[in-house]
Structures are given as structure tokens and as C-alpha cells.
Amino acid sequence: MSNHSATQESEISLAELRGDCARMAPHWVARPKSAPVPVAPSRIHGVTVPAASARLVDAMSDYGD
């Protein structure tokens, strides 16, 4: 087996690589993100939070004050 292809691959310059990426970029179109659908609180079940954890979160100014 020959290492010929590995040698050619390692000789690609950064400029060539950036050019290849720029040409391929239009093919990589990301779909727009949709907003998450809110879930009704009545559908959330099976989650239990220990009292100590609830007190900790309640005491955090970002969450309760």
C-alpha cells in the first residue's frame, strides 16, 4: 500500500483548505431554529425536588427574589 495520498493530503495549504471550505459553505445551510413549544404544567409529572434543593434554589436571587 502506498502513502502517496497521505503525502498529497498533508501538503494542502491553509489557504487551499479555507478556499475549499468557502466553496462548500453554501451546501451547509442550517435550518432556522424553531421556538420550543411550551409545555403545560399539568403535563409535567414524575419530577420530584428534595426540600433542601428547593430551598437552595429559592434562596438564589436569580430564581426567587
Side-chain angles (χ1 to χ4, degrees):
M1 191 175 250
S2 169
N3 287 337
H4 185 42
S5 63
T7 303
Q8 286 180 344
E9 200 170 300
S10 64
E11 292 175 0
I12 294 175
S13 71
L14 180 57
E16 289 172 314
L17 180 59
R18 290 181 69 196
D20 289 345
C21 291
R23 283 189 296 280
M24 293 177 71
H27 300 285
W28 297 332
V29 178
R31 286 182 265 151
K33 291 184 179 182
S34 60
V37 178
V39 175
S42 61
R43 295 198 62 201
I44 300 173
H45 53 83
V47 176
T48 57
V49 178
S53 296
R55 283 192 303 273
L56 175 68
V57 172
D58 188 42
M60 299 173 83
S61 61
D62 290 347
Y63 293 100
D65 297 341

